[in-house]
Amino acid sequence: SMLNVINGIYLPQEGSVTYNGNVITKIKPRDAAISGMARTFQNIALFQGMTVLDNIMTGRNLFMKSTWLEQGLNIGRAKKEEVENRIEVEKVIKFLQIEAIRKTPVAKLPYGLQKRVELARALVAEPKVLLLDEPTNDLDVDTLRALEEAILDFSGCVVVISHDRWFLNKLATHILAFEGGSHVEWFEGNYQDYELDKKRSKVTTIM
């Protein structure tokens, strides 16, 4: 729900979202994307009948200025944009090591590879903020490694919703923990550091 509020799918019942110094009380998902947000979903949200390449290319829609007619006929600006955007897409395809499946329909891929395609679509949008919802669920080892490398290589801010402690220990630099009810803890460090700090706090309280 938190990620849906941040990128405009849900409206907050109270409070607001502050992004780039601006308080946002209402934002459309497309406007969120234009402002530099991209995300993946807990349940895969890809076009199952389209190829891997075509799915990833949809992540470049924000960079296309040509009309639907130009794109349909592949004329004018559309032809130049196709070449330019394809170059950026191929860079991400190579980085995530999915060159061999670029022409494969997404529906034919196992879950782990579909998650990699979804990540690729988010990355080609060149976001400043990357929102990942339970990204490690049911991943194979190769896809998990690709995900870790993508996060470490990403120059912006990554917000991750996850119950994977090992993943959070390895990559998290800050923890926002919802501890039940309306109690929220903000901590600088990974999950292991957060757990140790909680134990120390309990010991101090008892003493």
Side-chain angles (χ1 to χ4, degrees):
S1 294
M2 185 179 75
L3 297 188
N4 287 334
V5 170
I6 291 173
N7 81 322
I9 294 177
Y10 295 162
L11 293 178
Q13 292 178 316
E14 57 183 276
S16 60
V17 177
T18 300
Y19 176 61
N20 274 348
N22 299 313
V23 176
I24 302 171
T25 55
K26 184 178 181 181
I27 185 171
K28 296 179 180 179
R30 179 175 174 78
D31 291 334
I34 291 173
S35 71
M37 296 185 197
R39 69 168 297 182
T40 64
F41 295 82
Q42 185 171 355
N43 297 315
I44 293 173
L46 294 171
F47 299 102
Q48 295 292 314
M50 291 168 54
T51 66
V52 167
L53 177 60
D54 288 340
N55 264 281
I56 299 174
M57 283 291 288
T58 64
R60 298 291 298 180
N61 281 345
L62 297 175
F63 299 92
M64 297 180 182
K65 307 302 181 184
S66 55
T67 65
W68 285 106
L69 179 60
E70 287 175 307
Q71 292 174 23
L73 298 176
N74 195 29
I75 59 175
R77 292 173 297 177
K79 184 176 291 187
K80 180 182 178 182
E81 289 176 349
E82 173 76 17
V83 173
E84 293 173 345
N85 288 307
R86 178 68 180 270
I87 290 172
E88 297 305 316
V89 165
E90 289 295 342
K91 289 178 184 177
V92 175
I93 286 176
K94 183 177 180 180
F95 176 71
L96 293 177
Q97 300 177 18
I98 52 177
E99 300 102 312
I101 61 169
R102 62 159 61 85
K103 295 184 179 180
T104 304
V106 164
K108 294 184 177 181
L109 298 176
Y111 181 84
L113 284 178
Q114 290 196 34
K115 292 291 283 187
R116 217 183 297 191
V117 174
E118 190 177 43
L119 176 62
R121 184 177 63 182
L123 290 175
V124 298
E126 300 180 19
K128 300 173 185 175
V129 177
L130 186 59
L131 309 173
L132 305 178
D133 192 353
E134 298 288 358
T136 64
N137 282 4
D138 302 317
L139 291 190
D140 58 89
V141 174
D142 288 339
T143 300
L144 182 59
R145 187 177 297 115
L147 172 63
E148 292 170 356
E149 290 176 358
I151 291 176
L152 290 172
D153 187 67
F154 186 67
S155 61
C157 173
V158 182
V159 180
V160 178
I161 302 294
S162 180
H163 293 84
D164 187 337
R165 297 186 179 191
W166 182 87
F167 182 75
L168 295 175
N169 283 340
K170 188 171 184 180
L171 296 174
T173 59
H174 298 75
I175 299 289
L176 183 65
F178 293 81
E179 295 289 1
S182 58
H183 184 63
V184 179
E185 289 282 349
W186 172 258
F187 180 80
E188 294 189 17
N190 63 19
Y191 189 81
Q192 184 177 13
D193 294 335
Y194 171 68
E195 287 288 283
L196 290 173
D197 186 72
K198 277 206 308 182
K199 290 178 182 178
R200 293 192 196 100
S201 297
K202 287 181 180 179
V203 170
T204 302
T205 301
I206 294 172
M207 294 175 63

